[in-house]
């Protein structure tokens, strides 16, 4: 009897040791092909640097990472997520890159009960905001969130009165433009035109030719490699209106491929490479040393996702096996360190964070984004009532409506 009890005890101890030795498996949805691949490469650089600095170990548990290429396609993003969960048995997913990919995964991660940390999110259309899923944790802002301060800044600080808009015809483009339009018009400005080139537009000439030249500024919302092509064509057509854009328009990952066409462009982002903190200085220096590039927001996004998971692992003392406790910890994290600045989640699982207004300048022969204003503690709701915001019309290609269209 005593021997039997001892054997059972040893078996239980063995199972416990084995469980403690199980690595944390992270599924990483990246983009390696298609027009969004530049952002995918930066995402991988961010997470790889983070794991290298930690020797692929968090709270005493080894970390394994599994990469999957979504090609920036919602259907492929879902199938790759299923492979990561069902074949690779991942405990948490980082990614995907694009808003419309993340929307395609909401139902699946809820069903699979695997937490997902996308670096980009939609404004109103996803389950996290309607608080139907505890498994979507956004450590980076919504598509509209960074554009609220930019619309406010353009009207109130720069005195811009009339703007034409041109943006990629997909969810990220729609919702970023909507955020800018909302605050710009609330401040007294007018959006008089909206144009929607397809994401894979071969040429922007026909769209630029339609832009009204009498406006004070142009909002340009482009992602992947499209900003380079748009801004070059914009200048080649002799356009002089000041350009305002989303984080990806002059992100450091593609700014290096631009010339004078980028000078004077204003953008807003949740990350600023010149953010003057010791944590950001170390981050920038490490990325430059490791990859010989200047980090952009995609790089900072997934590095921050790593920090977020690290803090959650500390809260559960490495016991991610307790899924309920781990998911709760992912919601309870508050970051006061890292390259982005302070970061915490609202009750809907979306971040409250700083937004930086930048302007492209040439310094020491190099194009750089220079921070000209910082908006602190920006919510996904800006300064609007949260319940009214959620119950109101959802941001889309047609909302807010074009109330001030000019012939």
């Amino acid at each position: 009897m005593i021997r039997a009890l001892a054997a059972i005890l040893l078996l239980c101890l063995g199972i416990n040791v084995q469980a403690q030795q199980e690595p944390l498996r992270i599924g990483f949805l990246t983009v390696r092909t298609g027009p969004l691949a530049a952002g995918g490469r930066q995402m991988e650089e961010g997470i790889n640097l983070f794991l290298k600095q930690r020797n692929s170990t968090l709270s005493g548990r080894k970390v394994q990472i599994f990469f999957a290429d979504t090609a920036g396609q919602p259907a492929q993003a879902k199938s790759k997520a299923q492979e990561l969960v069902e074949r690779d048995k991942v405990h948490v997913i980082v990614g995907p890159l694009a808003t419309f990919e993340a929307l395609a995964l909401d139902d699946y991660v809820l069903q699979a009960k695997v937490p997902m940390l996308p670096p980009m999110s939609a404004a109103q259309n996803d389950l996290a905001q309607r608080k139907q899923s505890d498994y979507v944790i956004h450590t980076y802002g919504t598509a509209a969130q960074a554009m609220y301060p930019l619309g406010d800044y353009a009207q109130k600080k720069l005195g811009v009165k009339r703007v034409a808009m041109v943006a990629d015809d997909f969810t990220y483009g729609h919702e970023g433009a909507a955020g800018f339009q909302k605050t710009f018009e609330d401040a007294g400005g007018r959006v008089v035109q909206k144009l929607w080139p397809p994401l894979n537009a071969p040429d922007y000439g026909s769209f630029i030719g339609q832009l009204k030249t009498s406006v004070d500024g142009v909002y340009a919302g482009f992602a992947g490699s499209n900003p380079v092509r748009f801004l070059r064509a914009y200048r080649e057509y002799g356009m002089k209106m000041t350009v305002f854009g989303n984080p990806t328009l002059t992100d450091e990952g593609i700014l290096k491929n631009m010339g004078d066409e980028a000078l004077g462009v204003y953008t807003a982002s949740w990350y600023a490479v010149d953010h003057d903190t010791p944590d950001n200085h170390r981050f920038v220096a490490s990325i430059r040393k490791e990859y010989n590039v200047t980090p952009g927001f995609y790089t900072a996004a997934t590095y921050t996702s790593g920090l977020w998971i690290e803090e959650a692992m500390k809260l559960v003392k490495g016991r991610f096996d307790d899924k309920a406790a781990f998911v709760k910890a992912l919601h309870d994290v508050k970051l006061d360190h890292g390259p982005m600045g302070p970061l915490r989640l609202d009750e809907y699982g979306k971040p409250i964070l700083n937004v930086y207004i930048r302007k492209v300048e040439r310094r020491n022969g190099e194009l750089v984004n220079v921070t000209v204003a910082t908006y602190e503690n920006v919510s996904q709701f800006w300064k609007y009532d949260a319940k009214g915001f959620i119950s109101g019309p959802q941001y889309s290609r047609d909302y807010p409506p074009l109330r001030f269209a000019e012939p």
Side-chain angles (χ1 to χ4, degrees):
M1 180 70 176
I2 295 175
R3 288 181 178 180
L5 288 173
I8 292 172
L9 179 60
L10 287 173
L11 178 61
C12 291
L13 287 173
I15 292 173
N16 185 57
V17 169
Q18 183 179 8
Q20 287 298 317
Q21 293 175 342
E22 181 185 14
L24 173 68
R25 292 185 290 274
I26 298 175
F28 195 96
L29 293 171
T30 184
V31 179
R32 290 177 172 171
T33 52
L36 302 177
R41 182 177 62 253
Q42 291 173 273
M43 288 171 60
E44 293 186 41
E45 290 171 352
I47 196 67
N48 282 333
L49 174 67
F50 173 81
L51 290 175
K52 181 178 181 180
Q53 291 177 338
R54 270 75 178 170
N55 193 30
S56 293
T57 303
L58 298 177
S59 295
R61 304 291 289 267
K62 295 299 292 183
V63 177
Q64 293 179 341
I65 189 163
F66 300 82
F67 293 96
D69 178 18
T70 71
Q73 301 295 328
Q76 187 161 323
K78 185 173 182 178
S79 66
K80 292 297 182 180
Q82 290 173 319
E83 289 179 10
L84 290 171
V85 172
E86 297 164 22
R87 182 191 65 194
D88 301 315
K89 308 298 182 184
V90 300
H91 303 101
V92 61
I93 294 173
V94 175
L97 180 151
T99 299
F100 60 174
E101 295 180 287
L103 293 176
L105 299 182
D106 274 338
D107 288 335
Y108 178 70
V109 297
L110 176 60
Q111 170 194 338
K113 293 181 166 41
V114 174
M116 178 175 73
L117 282 69
M120 182 75 71
S121 66
Q124 284 180 284
N125 300 342
D126 67 291
L127 294 175
Q129 190 185 64
R130 298 200 299 272
K131 209 176 180 181
Q132 296 176 11
S133 174
D134 288 331
Y135 293 91
V136 182
I137 300 102
H138 296 285
T139 54
Y140 236 40
T142 71
Q145 194 166 349
M147 296 300 94
Y148 292 141
L150 186 62
D152 185 79
Y153 184 86
Q155 210 294 313
K156 292 182 178 178
K157 301 296 183 182
L158 300 181
V160 175
K161 300 185 186 308
R162 294 166 57 254
V163 161
M165 309 187 87
V166 55
D168 283 326
D169 195 5
F170 74 131
T171 309
Y172 174 56
H174 302 159
E175 297 192 354
F180 181 94
Q181 181 181 354
K182 177 66 175 170
T183 55
F184 181 70
E185 292 188 341
D186 283 353
R190 293 189 172 198
V191 171
V192 301
Q193 183 183 32
K194 290 183 183 181
L195 301 174
W196 303 106
L199 183 60
N200 292 305
D203 177 69
Y204 292 112
S206 61
F207 295 95
I208 294 171
Q210 296 176 57
L211 285 172
K212 297 184 182 301
T213 57
S214 61
V215 295
D216 305 309
V218 171
Y219 172 86
F222 293 96
S225 58
N226 291 344
V228 178
R229 298 190 301 116
F230 173 79
L231 287 176
R232 284 179 182 168
Y234 186 82
R235 299 306 183 192
E236 287 171 1
Y237 275 74
M239 297 297 181
K240 303 296 185 183
M241 302 86 79
T242 301
V243 175
F244 300 88
N246 53 359
T248 46
L249 188 67
T250 61
D251 181 71
E252 279 71 16
I254 58 170
L255 187 59
K256 62 187 178 183
N257 299 322
M258 295 181 180
D260 288 350
E261 66 273 11
L263 287 172
V265 172
Y266 287 91
T267 60
S269 180
W270 315 276
Y271 174 68
V273 72
D274 61 353
H275 183 46
D276 191 14
T277 65
D279 280 346
N280 189 47
H281 294 324
R282 285 191 291 270
F283 169 70
V284 173
S286 297
I287 288 290
R288 285 175 172 165
K289 180 180 179 181
E290 189 73 19
Y291 300 106
N292 196 31
V293 296
T294 299
F297 90 89
Y298 284 122
T299 321
T302 51
Y303 189 91
T304 299
S305 295
L307 291 173
W308 200 269
I309 295 170
E310 180 179 47
E311 292 303 306
M313 288 285 283
K314 290 177 183 177
L315 289 175
V316 297
K317 296 180 172 55
R319 294 192 289 270
F320 63 85
D321 322 82
D322 185 341
K323 182 177 290 187
F326 184 49
V327 171
K328 182 179 184 301
L330 287 168
H331 283 270
D332 290 343
V333 169
K334 293 181 176 62
L335 277 183
D336 58 4
H337 60 285
M340 288 172 49
L343 175 61
R344 68 185 190 278
L345 298 186
D346 65 17
E347 63 178 311
Y348 299 96
K350 287 211 174 75
I352 298 172
L353 71 184
N354 292 349
V355 172
Y356 307 95
I357 309 294
R358 301 99 49 85
K359 183 181 181 182
V360 177
E361 298 181 4
R362 190 179 294 280
R363 294 189 175 181
N364 300 319
E366 181 183 359
L367 290 177
V368 294
N369 284 304
V370 177
T371 300
V372 296
T374 300
Y375 287 67
E376 296 182 347
N377 299 315
V378 177
S379 159
Q380 61 166 326
F381 304 114
W382 182 236
K383 299 176 182 179
Y384 307 116
D385 173 72
K387 291 183 179 178
F389 186 95
I390 292 174
S391 63
Q394 297 179 353
Y395 288 151
S396 68
R397 195 178 194 269
D398 302 311
Y399 186 84
L402 185 60
R403 297 183 295 141
F404 304 107
E406 296 179 359

